[in-house]
């Protein structure tokens, strides 16, 4: 960070630039040309890497110098202990946020009040994101605040990503036990370098780690020697279920090109080859078209969970690629009777419990051939297989996963006196 003597002075950093009053006034909407002009200026001043870095310099800490935290406290709201969560601002349909809000709902059902503190190094439009949360996660009653407005002392604070772990670590004066809800091994989100190292170091911060799935727990233990509490994956069993033995045709793929670990480029190449081999079988695409993919698709755009379940109940086969922690799509499709093709990897096998998935080497031809084998069966075989696949679904409900998290937090808070 300090290796280039010709870099501009810190006063021209992108975080300072984008936190100026004119920019903050645009949070709720404003001149797009002004935003583009400021972005171009930021790019010229500090380079593209500064725009991608998810922290302000003052929020970066490291495990070797992390200061002691304030003593745990037990403040209450309406007589109930409070638990705070620090997260990035959510977007509609965000899977990671949905899982987090399920955990918050479990805490609220257990008698806690929750606070959601939104962090963005370039500022947060609090009113906008509060509306997003109320609209898309209406079951959650948590108070929504901006990290920049200060964090209240609570019985516990929970980081939800490596940047938010740094944000919590940089605020030792905020009271409350420290937890870290880890949904993936986030160093793998980055090439070897600064972000990889900073992400990995968060597991050494001394926060009590709540690891979603065996892959995350095992990778943290292997890489940094830190033990975690295992929180199991769950399934929304009221939505993702077998709806009957109606006709099924084609392939379903939930594409996320902006998330490299979900393998959308590879999936697009495989689906092109599948279409060349089986042009009469429709390809149903949810999300954005993968780069370089040329095959015709039935584009569904964004679907809510009910829409996804209906689509899965009408298709023969689906793709559930993931190259870090397992994708929830795998078990959701399988619960609806879909024959799911999954890239074979130790991480995926650690948490995919369904016995009916098809494991393949992650190459375009291998994937295309597996898809062909699935759709080539006769209709009666497809119907019977769909029923067996749905019946074999054994993923617990999300409420069971939430109960594990609540118990782990209560155990710590009871010992510290923050929960009676």
């Amino acid at each position: 960070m300090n290796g280039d003597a010709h870099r501009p002075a810190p006063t021209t950093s992108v975080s300072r630039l984008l936190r100026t009053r004119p920019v903050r006034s645009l949070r709720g909407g404003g001149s797009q040309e002004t935003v583009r002009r400021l972005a171009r200026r930021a790019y010229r001043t500090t380079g593209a890497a500064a725009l991608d870095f998810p922290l302000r310099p003052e929020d970066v800490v490291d495990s070797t110098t992390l200061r002691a935290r304030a003593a745990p406290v037990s403040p209450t709201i309406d007589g109930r202990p409070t638990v705070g969560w620090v997260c990035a601002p959510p977007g509609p349909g965000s899977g990671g946020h949905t899982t987090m809000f399920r955990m918050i709902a479990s805490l609220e059902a257990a008698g806690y009040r929750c606070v959601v503190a939104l962090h963005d190094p370039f500022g947060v439009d609090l009113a906008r994101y509060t509306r997003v949360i109320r609209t898309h996660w209406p079951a959650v009653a948590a108070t929504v605040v901006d990290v920049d407005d200060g964090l209240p002392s609570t019985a516990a604070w929970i980081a939800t990503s490596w940047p938010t772990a740094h944000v919590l670590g940089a605020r030792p004066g905020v009271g409350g036990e420290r937890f870290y809800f880890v949904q993936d091994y986030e160093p793998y989100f980055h090439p070897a370098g600064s972000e990889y190292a900073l992400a990995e170091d968060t597991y050494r911060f001394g926060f009590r780690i709540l690891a979603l799935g065996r892959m995350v727990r095992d990778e943290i233990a292997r890489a940094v020697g830190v033990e975690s509490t295992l929180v199991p994956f769950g399934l929304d069993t009221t939505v993702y279920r077998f709806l009957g033995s109606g006709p099924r045709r084609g392939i379903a793929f939930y594409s996320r090109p902006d998330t490299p670990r979900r393998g959308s480029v590879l999936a697009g190449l495989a689906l092109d080859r599948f279409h060349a081999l089986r042009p009469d079988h429709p390809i149903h695409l949810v999300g954005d078209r993968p780069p370089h993919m040329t095959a015709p698709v039935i584009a569904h755009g964004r679907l809510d969970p009910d829409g996804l379940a209906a689509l899965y109940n009408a298709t023969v086969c689906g793709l559930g690629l993931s190259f870090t922690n397992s994708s929830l799509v795998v078990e959701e499709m399988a619960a609806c009777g879909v024959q799911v093709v999954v890239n074979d990897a130790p991480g995926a096998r650690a948490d995919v419990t369904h016995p009916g998935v098809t494991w393949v080497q992650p190459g375009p031809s291998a994937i295309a051939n597996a898809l062909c084998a699935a759709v080539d069966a006769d209709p009666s075989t497809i119907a019977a297989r769909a029923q067996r696949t749905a019946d074999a679904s054994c993923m617990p409900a999300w409420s069971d996963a939430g109960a594990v998290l609540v118990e782990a937090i209560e155990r710590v808070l009871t010992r510290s006196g923050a929960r009676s």
Side-chain angles (χ1 to χ4, degrees), residues 70-96:
V73 294
S74 54
T76 62
I77 301 175
D78 298 335
R80 292 186 284 172
T82 59
V83 173
W85 298 71
V86 187
C87 67
S94 167

Side-chain angles (χ1 to χ4, degrees), residues 207-224:
F207 300 172
R208 293 175 174 87
I209 297 176
L210 308 166
L212 183 67
R214 295 177 181 84
M215 177 269 184
V216 171
R217 178 199 61 186
D218 294 348
E219 284 298 291
I220 293 173
R222 179 197 61 78
V224 298

Side-chain angles (χ1 to χ4, degrees), residues 309-330:
L311 174 63
Y312 298 158
N313 270 274
T315 49
V316 175
C317 191
L319 269 178
L321 304 183
S322 183
F323 291 86
T324 53
N325 209 1
S326 175
S327 170
L328 300 179
V329 166
V330 174

Side-chain angles (χ1 to χ4, degrees), residues 14-15 18-20 23-28 54 56 88-89 118-126 128-129 146-148:
V14 69
S15 58
L18 296 184
R19 279 154 47 206
T20 59
V23 176
R24 290 174 71 90
S25 71
L26 292 172
R27 288 177 178 178
R56 299 169 187 163
L118 302 180
H119 166 259
D120 187 316
F122 305 127
V124 170
D125 183 341
L126 187 60
R128 173 192 171 193
Y129 287 111
D146 183 346
V147 166
D148 285 349

Side-chain angles (χ1 to χ4, degrees), residues 30-54:
S31 167
Q32 292 187 2
E33 176 55 34
T34 301
V35 173
R36 285 194 293 269
R37 186 166 59 250
L38 288 165
R40 286 194 296 269
R41 177 182 167 196
Y43 181 90
R44 290 194 303 269
T45 303
T46 62
L51 294 172
D52 291 332
F53 192 67

